[in-house]
Amino acid sequence: MKRLYAGVIGAMAAFSAVCYGQNAPESPQDYLRGVELSAQGGSPWYQVPLPEAVYQQSAWADLRDIRVFNQQGESLPFALETTVPPAPAPQTAPLTLYKLESQPLQQKDEEGNRAVLLKTPEGVEIRLASQRDETLSGTWLIPLGEGEAGSSLKQLRFSWPRQREGWQARVDIYSSEGLRHWQPEISDAPLMDLTSGDNRLLLDKLDFDAGLALSGARYLLVIVKNASAPLDFTAVSGEWQTAHLQPARIALPAQGEKTAEDTAVYRWARPQPLDALTLRPAQENAVMPVEIEYRSDEKSPWRPLARTVIYRLPDSPAVSVPLQGEPIAAVRVKAINQRLGDTLVEVTGERDEKTLIFNAQGNGPFLLAWGNGAATPQTLALQALIPAKANKAASLDALPYAQSGKQVELGGEARLTAKDPAAQRNQLQTWLIWGVLVAGAAGLLLLAWRLWREVNAGKAA
C-alpha cells in the first residue's frame, strides 16, 4: 500500500509540474515554421504582408497562431490589418463649357420664389428657382457624360482672361441626370482673382467635399452671382478619383481530384475562410456550365454554392463566385451535360490579404512564426499598438517595410495538433483522476487477496 500511495503522490507532483510548465513563456520552437524578417532603420514599427505559407500552414483559420520573436526569443506585440492597395492618383481632364442665356421670369411660385429660364445654344430650356434676390452674372452648363464606374468628381478648376482690376464672385453648382431635376452640390463658394501691386490672389478651384458620383450626375450647372466685374470662363477641367475600396487578395490554389467523368473535388490543406472562389476551364476557348458545392470539413455534408457558367476565352477573366468568409475545406465541381476531360478545371480560393505590423523591440533579425494548435489570440488593435499621441505621423502608409528572408523549420508538424494549456491541464487532470480510481481499485483487490491468503493460511494451520 505504501507503494500505491507513493505512486498517487508522484502523479500529483507530475501534474503540478506540468501545470507550472504550461505557464512558461512561448518560444519559437512552439511553432511549426517561421521566416526571418530584416528591419532596416530605427523605426519602432515595421510592416510586412503575410507570406502565402502562413495562410496554407496555419493551424487556425483565423490566424491566431502567428507570433513575432526577436533574436533573444522574446515574443513581440503585433497587429494584423487587411491589406488595402493605395488609391490611384487623381485623374485630370478638360471639360466642355456651354454659356447659357438667362431670362428672369415674372411669375413666382406659391412660396414667393423667383425663377429664371436658361437656354442652351441648342435651344434646350432649363427652369431654375432662385430663393434670393441676387444678381445673376453668368450661367454655364458642363456635360459630364456617363463617367467611369466607381469614380467621383472631386474638383473643378476654371480659367478666365486676367483683368487689370481683378474681380470676385460667389458660385452655386447644381447637378442633374437628365436636365430636368437639379440637386444643389455647392452653395455660395467664392471665386476670385485679385491683384495688389505685383501680388496676385487667385482662387480658381471648387471642391466637392464628399465627391460627386459621375454615374448619378451627367450635367453640372454653374451659376455665378454678384460678380464685381464682367467675366467669362474660357476653360474648365475636372479632377476625379477612382474609388479603390476592395482589399488585396491572396490566391490559394486548390488540389483537384477527379471522382467521376463529370465531377472533381478540390481541397485545401486546411479549411480556409474564403472571400471568393475563381474557376476557369483548362481547355482554351471552353465554355462550361457547372454546379458547385462545398463543405466546411471532411465530415460535413455537401451544400450547394452556385450554378454558373465558366469560361476560358481571349480577354475573358476567370469567373469569380463571391463568398462571405465561411471556412471551406473542399468544393465539388460538376460539369452539366459535359465531361471534364483529362485536365481538370482550375479552382483557386481567395481571401483578404493581411499585413502584419510589429513593434521592433530587441535585436534582429526578427522571426515571424506560425503553426501552433495550442496558440491563443495575441493580436492587438492597430490603435493600441501605435497610440496616436505617441506618434501621430505613424500611419500605416508611412511605416517602413520589413524584408522577408529565408524560411526556417521550428517545432515541426506535431505543433499543428498541440493542445492549448487549459486543454492539456484538463486532459491530464482527467487521466490523473482515472489513475487514482484505478489505483484505488487495485489497492482494494490487493487487500482482498491478502485477506484471502490469511484466511486460507489459518485453515491450513
Side-chain angles (χ1 to χ4, degrees):
M1 294 296 290
K2 290 182 179 180
R3 292 181 179 178
L4 178 62
Y5 294 146
V8 173
I9 293 174
M12 294 179 66
F15 174 68
S16 299
V18 170
C19 290
Y20 176 79
Q22 296 296 346
N23 294 325
E26 291 183 323
S27 72
Q29 293 303 316
D30 293 327
Y31 291 82
L32 167 67
R33 291 186 181 90
V35 63
E36 292 183 352
L37 300 177
S38 174
Q40 303 296 328
S43 174
W45 303 282
Y46 291 86
Q47 63 174 316
V48 60
L50 291 183
E52 180 182 332
V54 174
Y55 304 93
Q56 295 277 24
Q57 300 168 3
S58 175
W60 295 92
D62 60 4
L63 305 179
R64 70 181 65 177
D65 55 329
I66 290 178
R67 297 293 186 271
V68 181
F69 298 94
N70 59 19
Q71 193 178 45
Q72 292 74 39
E74 300 168 331
S75 181
L76 303 180
F78 66 94
L80 281 178
E81 289 288 304
T82 300
T83 306
V84 179
Q91 301 295 317
T92 302
L95 298 171
T96 304
L97 272 170
Y98 294 98
K99 188 172 179 60
L100 305 181
E101 297 179 3
S102 60
Q103 177 183 348
L105 299 179
Q106 297 300 322
Q107 66 272 23
K108 299 182 180 180
D109 60 18
E110 297 178 355
E111 298 179 358
N113 296 325
R114 292 185 176 181
V116 62
L117 184 65
L118 307 175
K119 293 184 179 181
T120 68
E122 290 78 14
V124 178
E125 294 185 348
I126 300 173
R127 182 188 176 96
L128 189 69
S130 175
Q131 296 183 3
R132 291 174 291 181
D133 292 330
E134 296 173 313
T135 301
L136 197 63
S137 303
T139 57
W140 288 265
L141 182 68
I142 303 176
L144 297 176
E146 295 294 339
E148 183 180 351
S151 61
S152 59
L153 187 65
K154 306 294 290 186
Q155 184 184 93
L156 291 177
R157 171 171 283 185
F158 295 89
S159 300
W160 52 77
R162 186 172 181 177
Q163 302 183 28
R164 176 178 300 179
E165 300 299 328
W167 64 271
Q168 56 183 325
R170 312 294 291 186
V171 179
D172 291 342
I173 295 183
Y174 294 81
S175 68
S176 175
E177 187 176 356
L179 296 176
R180 290 179 60 86
H181 303 288
W182 295 89
Q183 299 293 329
E185 300 292 345
I186 296 177
S187 298
D188 280 331
L191 286 180
M192 63 182 65
D193 187 359
L194 304 178
T195 58
S196 177
D198 295 333
N199 298 320
R200 184 184 187 189
L201 178 59
L202 179 65
L203 183 57
D204 60 352
K205 297 181 294 185
L206 296 178
D207 294 318
F208 296 90
D209 293 335
L212 182 65
L214 298 187
S215 59
R218 298 180 58 191
Y219 301 94
L220 293 181
L221 188 61
V222 180
I223 301 178
V224 179
K225 308 172 298 182
N226 301 329
S228 60
L231 78 154
D232 193 9
F233 294 135
T234 57
V236 64
S237 62
E239 180 183 285
W240 63 89
Q241 179 75 55
T242 301
H244 202 96
L245 303 179
Q246 288 295 329
R249 294 277 175 80
I250 187 79
L252 303 173
Q255 298 297 319
E257 177 186 4
K258 191 175 181 179
T259 58
E261 287 299 321
D262 60 352
T263 305
V265 174
Y266 299 82
R267 294 182 174 85
W268 290 266
R270 283 171 184 79
Q272 296 286 344
L274 300 180
D275 297 288
L277 189 71
T278 59
L279 303 94
R280 174 178 261 180
Q283 297 84 2
E284 295 291 338
N285 299 320
V287 178
M288 182 182 295
V290 294
E291 290 180 347
I292 309 170
E293 299 173 304
Y294 78 101
R295 60 185 179 189
S296 300
D297 56 67
E298 290 298 328
K299 296 182 180 179
S300 299
W302 291 102
R303 291 187 284 177
L305 178 61
R307 185 184 178 102
T308 186
V309 180
I310 59 177
Y311 309 89
R312 193 180 187 96
L313 301 172
D315 302 324
S316 178
V319 172
S320 180
V321 179
L323 301 172
Q324 303 300 322
E326 181 179 355
I328 294 180
V331 295
R332 184 164 65 184
V333 179
K334 181 179 180 181
I336 300 175
N337 298 325
Q338 288 183 246
R339 294 184 178 184
L340 292 178
D342 297 331
T343 309
L344 300 182
V345 172
E346 299 171 3
V347 175
T348 302
E350 295 181 359
R351 58 183 296 185
D352 292 347
E353 184 183 74
K354 298 291 184 179
T355 293
L356 175 91
I357 304 98
F358 68 95
N359 177 219
Q361 299 179 34
N363 298 326
F366 302 95
L367 180 70
L368 166 62
W370 64 87
N372 184 358
T376 56
Q378 298 291 333
T379 307
L380 297 176
L382 185 61
Q383 294 78 7
L385 181 69
I386 308 179
K389 292 183 179 180
N391 194 340
K392 295 182 179 180
S395 64
L396 187 58
D397 294 338
L399 292 182
Y401 281 85
Q403 301 301 317
S404 298
K406 65 179 181 180
Q407 192 172 124
V408 294
E409 293 291 326
L410 298 174
E413 298 287 337
R415 297 308 305 166
L416 293 174
T417 55
K419 296 185 179 298
D420 65 85
Q424 291 188 24
R425 287 195 294 268
N426 291 339
Q427 186 179 30
L428 184 57
Q429 188 175 20
T430 300
W431 282 108
L432 181 60
I433 293 173
W434 276 103
V436 171
L437 292 176
V438 171
L444 292 175
L445 290 175
L446 180 59
L447 179 61
W449 179 70
R450 286 183 176 180
L451 291 175
W452 178 79
R453 284 187 61 185
E454 290 177 1
V455 170
N456 287 341
K459 289 182 179 179

